[in-house]
Amino acid sequence: MRKIARIAPSLLAADFARLGEEMAAIDAHVDWWHLDVMDGHFVPNLAIGIPIIEAIRPHTNKPFDVHMMTTNAHAYLEALRSAGADQVTVHVEAYPDPTAVADRARELELRFGLVLNPPTDVEAVLPYVELCDVVVVMSVAPGFGGQAFIPSVLDKVERLRKWVDSRGLPTDIEIDGGIDGSNVGRARNAGADVFVAGTSVFRAPNPVEAIAELRRAIAEA
Ligand code: DX5
Ligand code: ZN
């Protein structure tokens, strides 16, 4: 089943000194905002945190897709909900059995998802897909924006697409990392529905046009 494609720009590539302006310039063209939270431990970097999520919440009505690159995401679900998160995704490498964290997210009326790093086999998430509103396939090593897209992860997107469709599940399939006009069509054909794009949107001369280019490439795929 081919669902409507959604574009989720990643604020990690925005100018943090002008976050409000950077968002306002493209907010009308965005489906979801992708917000990267890191702990300096699960990944060797730090990024956006709860005070930033809270501060930007009044500036948009679009859903906040919070990507937790942390070992203890479960400890922050309530705070993330209060700050304005709509969806929280946690890594299967940090939660080999995500049942408890998924249940807690659901109690808080958060959408929940699992994320897989490039070396992680798709089998790690298959038993838990039914707990997920979304499964996120990383197409770069997590922790940094601006890295090159890893095409071999598209096999995992295809496997997930078949798994979800053959069971009639409503699960979204999201791809995160190095997405631009040159590869987004391949990701669409593999079966992705949600496309995270940081550098290709915010570092483009015209971010609105960059989003339009992604949409065109998806439509032509
Ligand atoms: C990487 C993050 C990504 C990143 C995407 O750790 O999870 O969301 O911001 O940025 P680009 O599109 O620059 O790879
Ligand atoms: Zn991310």
Side-chain angles (χ1 to χ4, degrees):
M1 189 182 62
R2 219 164 144 99
K3 290 198 221 165
I4 292 175
R6 278 141 292 160
I7 307 285
S10 168
L11 268 195
L12 194 60
D15 176 353
F16 280 15
R18 303 171 41 253
L19 221 37
E21 290 160 59
E22 291 269 82
M23 290 177 73
I26 62 171
D27 191 55
H29 304 268
V30 162
D31 296 299
W32 298 356
W33 283 105
H34 183 86
L35 307 175
D36 289 307
V37 175
M38 306 185 190
D39 66 358
H41 175 67
F42 181 74
V43 289
N45 201 4
L46 299 165
I48 294 162
I50 287 167
I52 306 277
I53 297 173
E54 211 165 13
I56 62 178
R57 186 63 280 186
H59 294 267
T60 172
N61 292 319
K62 300 290 168 75
F64 279 178
D65 167 28
V66 181
H67 176 189
M68 295 296 282
M69 284 165 269
T70 72
T71 51
N72 59 348
H74 62 278
Y76 296 96
L77 293 179
E78 210 158 333
L80 288 167
R81 187 56 173 145
S82 306
D86 297 282
Q87 166 170 297
V88 174
T89 64
V90 310
H91 274 258
V92 71
E93 300 83 8
Y95 292 91
D97 180 346
T99 313
V101 64
D103 286 350
R104 184 67 189 131
R106 195 119 8 249
E107 275 169 22
L108 293 165
E109 297 183 345
L110 284 163
R111 277 172 53 100
F112 176 77
L114 284 172
V115 192
L116 292 109
N117 281 338
T120 303
D121 288 338
V122 78
E123 278 71 21
V125 295
L126 294 180
Y128 305 109
V129 170
E130 289 181 42
L131 299 177
C132 296
D133 297 291
V134 62
V135 176
V136 186
V137 176
M138 290 302 302
S139 38
V140 298
F144 299 89
Q147 304 179 76
F149 178 75
I150 302 171
S152 57
V153 307
L154 293 178
D155 292 348
K156 292 194 279 188
V157 175
E158 278 179 25
R159 280 282 308 280
L160 280 164
R161 177 86 272 156
K162 286 191 185 129
W163 181 272
V164 160
D165 286 356
S166 65
R167 285 162 181 77
L169 299 173
T171 327
D172 287 317
I173 301 173
E174 179 171 336
I175 188 155
D176 181 9
I179 291 288
D180 62 23
S182 76
N183 53 41
V184 73
R186 274 181 286 157
R188 178 57 161 175
N189 284 332
D193 313 297
V194 184
F195 304 87
V196 177
T199 304
S200 72
V201 168
F202 283 106
R203 305 291 162 95
N206 180 341
V208 169
E209 176 49 35
I211 294 173
E213 186 192 334
L214 291 173
R215 291 198 195 280
R216 274 196 300 274
I218 291 167
E220 285 163 11

